[in-house]
Amino acid sequence: MNSTHKPRVGLALGSGSARGWGHLGVIRALEREGIKPDLVCGTSIGALVGAAYASGELDNFEKWLLGLSFTDVLSFMDVRLNGGVIKGERLMDFFRRSFIDRPIENLSLPFAAVATELHTGAEVWLREGSTIDAVRASIALPALFTPVIRDDRLLVDGALVNPVPVSLARAMGADIVIAVDLGSDLLGRRLRDVSEPDMPIAEISEWRRKLQQNFNAFFPENSDDEPSFPSMLDVVANSINIMQVRISRSRMAGDPPDVIVSPRLAHLGLLDFHRSKEAIEEGERAVQTALPSLKSLFRIVR
């Protein structure tokens, strides 16, 4: 690499639902090591955290996360039966009230989000317009969040096509790409019922009423003479995990990042958003694990 050229560092934040709070720990740990990305992009939950970082709102965002209870998570669930279990408007309205929604092109750091066009399967890079609207499209996980209409296209979660957006970071001009893969330890683990996180019984009941009941409306309960199966929500969540892990491995094999940071967060369920503290701490630990590779890389390029 030309010694007169300061390499541009790109941070590619992957999908992973509630595991995505680990991205905050990764960012904090990188900055403590003196590694500050010149651009950031993300898919799904990675787009949400990346947007907070690129807009200079990460401190406020982290403060909100650390105070988030499961009751708060439930309050964002505007349940419906068509298109997805959760509309997502309550959550986006909250972000509009609590954080400044600047155009992507006016953010402090170059930023982009990945979405998927539902009708064609095309990968869509969202690099201009409302930051919150771009994030809402990127997190529209099928069967959970309703799709988003943007520029006459029906958009869903970008993780269907690019779970860890290394290629987007390269396209944005990154010479060095640090990828955060939240799915490295998912496969091979035993299915657990994501509809029953660690919380009071009353809150479990509310959780079931607002989520699982919607699946049960279409899929009847097991009869006594049938084997016991995981909940419908658990099957959907783990199926999506398998798909995303396989896609991300394939894409990163073809377009490898320079360093992969892999927080081990498979124990978190699909909607364990209230468990941010442990996710953030694991993100920090993952950077320490990757530190030899990071130091070697930056020693070479500097």
Side-chain angles (χ1 to χ4, degrees), residues 8 14 25 36 52 62 94 129-130 139 179 201 217 235 272 282 289 293:
R8 298 188 77 206
K36 295 187 177 181
E62 183 174 11
F94 169 81
S130 164
I139 68 171
I201 296 298
V235 171
D272 281 340
E282 175 54 29
T289 300
S293 296

Side-chain angles (χ1 to χ4, degrees), residues 67-121:
L68 191 66
S69 69
F70 186 74
T71 301
D72 295 324
V73 175
L74 285 176
S75 72
F76 292 124
M77 293 184 184
D78 38 0
V79 177
R80 63 182 298 168
L81 289 176
N82 60 317
V85 176
I86 302 171
K87 289 171 62 179
E89 299 312 314
R90 288 183 188 172
L91 182 61
M92 292 301 107
D93 287 345
F94 169 81
F95 284 127
R96 288 188 177 91
R97 291 193 308 270
S98 304
F99 304 101
I100 299 171
D101 182 20
R102 290 190 290 270
I104 292 175
E105 52 269 36
N106 293 342
L107 297 181
S108 303
L109 281 177
F111 168 75
V114 181
T116 304
E117 187 172 4
L118 185 60
H119 291 146
T120 65

